[in-house]
Amino acid sequence: MKLKLGVLFGGRSVENEISVVTALQAIEALDKEKYDVVPIYIAKTGKWYSDSKLLTLGNYKDMKGLLSSCEEVFVKPIYGDHNLYSNKKSFFGDKVVATLDVILPTLHGTNCEDGTLQGVLASTGIPFVGCDVLASANGMDKITMKLILQSSGVPVVDYYWFNDKAWYRDKDAVLDAVEKKLEYPVIVKPANSGSSVGIRPAHSREELSDAIDYAATFTTRIIVERMVEKLKEVNCSVLGNYEDCEASECEVPMRSGEILTYSDKYMRGGGKSKGMQSTKRELPAKISENETQLIKDLACKTFRVLACDGVARIDFIKDEEDKRVYVNEINTIPGSLSNYLWDYTGISFPQLLDRLIDQAFARSREASFKVTDFGGNIFTQLGDGAKTGKLGKK
């Protein structure tokens, strides 16, 4: 029998459209003899929809018309309930649209890739592809990620971080602190956004202030990093889990300016975005064998330290002056699922998806063996009229 596979995409994120492209690429590559696909689109409003019309990219030009013709759906946060329900009640109660065996999330960015969605899926007990709540949250937040990597001996560039309240309370104090820690030029980033959204370089105090104001429109936590001026960006994907993983071939994405922009990544397809496949790239990366191996080793170490699962892409910065290599960030649900890197490495997109789905079931089985009930009912030891204060430790 075919597996009923729910493919989740869209989301309350500035990367909603990129997620649609990633999802449709994956759905097209799936072996239809193995999987019965249920497309589940999360709109920017947060509502969930399902319909075969969601499988045609051209339909998204008229988003209002598309969603009005789709069925609004939801899952219940009840462990063991694998049903996808219609929001329309039937005479006999809840209408089941599909009973899902496994879910493939292909969402990017805030509210999607940061542990928020993973928490919802974990509450249902439906096996799902990719990182769990902890790894997703740590991987998405650039501040937390760098703190963890730094403490684990993984090289990252110098940085300074703060929150928007500190910024609005005393802008000069924040600017002084950044300038004390870092020299210009710097790069200002929202801590939890992806696809180069909200990122700006700064070469002066005035530019720094403007860049922070811009970043603060996207997030409450902001990070400023030292800019490596003579840099080469190198990307490497990792497949597996925190115990056993492997690295793909390396690539060098081509940028049009000081930083790799949203347009560089997604809008180089002549107006027909193919997700990260639209990016101009050097594949394989023209770097030495020693540098390639170093990056692959650091990619796997980053993946393991952050307790990742599934497929991720780790982005590196190579300083062309001193030849040092730094981890820039990790994408726990990478654009196009990094299928182009694995295809070059020797694993086709259908094979990649099969492995990811197999890993989802394996993790779910492993989790089922963990203790969630310590046994017994402590309330049976209480006398009648017992107060909550008596439940404390003696």
Side-chain angles (χ1 to χ4, degrees), residues 63-348:
M63 186 64 75
K64 185 176 180 180
L66 172 61
L67 297 185
S68 66
S69 67
C70 295
E71 188 163 21
E72 191 175 332
V73 296
F74 67 96
V75 293
K76 294 181 179 180
I78 301 173
Y79 193 85
D81 188 340
H82 291 199
N83 292 324
L84 182 69
Y85 294 97
S86 170
N87 203 41
K88 292 182 180 179
K89 300 291 183 180
S90 71
F91 179 79
F92 299 100
D94 291 332
K95 174 187 173 184
V96 176
V97 175
T99 299
L100 303 174
D101 295 306
V102 61
I103 289 177
L104 172 65
T106 58
L107 304 99
H108 310 304
T110 313
N111 303 312
C112 302
E113 195 178 350
D114 57 4
T116 304
L117 177 70
Q118 289 72 18
V120 172
L121 300 181
S123 70
T124 68
I126 304 173
F128 64 92
V129 168
C131 291
D132 62 11
V133 176
L134 178 65
S136 297
N138 288 336
M140 187 70 189
D141 189 276
K142 295 176 176 64
I143 298 168
T144 305
M145 178 203 70
K146 288 181 185 294
L147 290 169
I148 294 172
L149 295 182
Q150 218 172 20
S151 67
S152 302
V154 177
V156 296
V157 297
D158 293 336
Y159 62 94
Y160 182 82
W161 70 273
F162 51 92
N163 59 50
D164 60 344
K165 288 184 173 58
W167 171 244
Y168 293 127
R169 184 169 57 246
D170 192 339
K171 292 187 176 183
D172 283 332
V174 172
L175 293 172
D176 289 343
V178 172
E179 290 177 334
K180 183 178 179 180
K181 178 73 179 290
L182 306 171
E183 293 183 357
Y184 292 108
V186 295
I187 299 178
V188 181
K189 303 177 180 180
N192 61 349
S193 73
S195 293
S196 301
V197 173
I199 296 176
R200 284 184 178 175
H203 303 79
S204 66
R205 190 178 179 94
E206 183 179 1
E207 287 186 4
L208 175 60
S209 180
D210 291 342
I212 294 174
D213 276 334
Y214 179 59
T217 64
F218 293 94
T219 185
T220 60
R221 284 156 57 86
I222 299 159
I223 186 168
V224 182
E225 300 173 352
R226 173 177 71 88
M227 181 190 289
V228 178
E229 295 184 78
K230 293 184 179 180
L231 66 83
K232 174 175 282 191
E233 296 181 56
V234 183
N235 298 342
C236 181
S237 184
V238 178
L239 173 64
N241 55 40
Y242 63 89
E243 181 184 20
D244 182 24
C245 60
E246 62 181 293
S248 74
E249 186 56 80
C250 298
E251 66 160 344
V252 174
M254 300 289 106
R255 64 184 191 279
S256 58
E258 285 183 303
I259 61 175
L260 191 67
T261 66
Y262 184 94
S263 295
D264 289 334
K265 290 180 177 180
Y266 305 118
M267 303 307 293
R268 286 186 170 183
K272 299 179 180 179
S273 176
K274 296 181 180 179
M276 276 298 290
Q277 291 182 167
S278 294
T279 307
K280 289 186 178 180
R281 57 176 47 85
E282 177 184 281
L283 179 61
K286 295 177 182 178
I287 54 179
S288 70
E289 289 185 13
N290 288 340
E291 288 171 330
T292 298
Q293 192 57 53
L294 172 63
I295 287 172
K296 288 184 176 183
D297 290 343
L298 285 174
C300 287
K301 184 174 182 179
T302 298
F303 193 87
R304 289 193 298 268
V305 164
L306 296 174
C308 293
D309 200 294
V311 67
R313 193 190 73 241
I314 295 88
D315 299 346
F316 292 84
I317 295 173
K318 178 194 170 189
D319 192 326
E320 294 285 63
E321 284 193 344
D322 61 16
K323 306 305 179 184
R324 296 186 65 181
V325 172
Y326 305 92
V327 170
N328 186 31
E329 64 181 36
I330 185 171
N331 297 271
T332 54
I333 306 180
S336 301
L337 299 181
S338 292
N339 74 83
Y340 49 91
L341 289 175
W342 289 106
D343 187 61
Y344 191 91
T345 305
I347 299 175
S348 68

Side-chain angles (χ1 to χ4, degrees), residues 19-60:
S19 171
V20 173
V21 176
T22 295
L24 297 189
Q25 288 174 343
I27 291 170
E28 183 178 357
L30 283 163
D31 186 342
K32 304 307 186 295
E33 296 297 317
K34 296 180 180 178
Y35 309 106
D36 184 7
V37 176
V38 180
I40 307 169
Y41 174 72
I42 303 177
K44 292 182 179 181
T45 61
K47 292 183 178 181
W48 294 28
Y49 298 88
S50 185
D51 194 278
S52 61
K53 298 183 187 71
L54 294 166
L55 299 174
T56 302
L57 188 61
N59 290 341
Y60 291 85

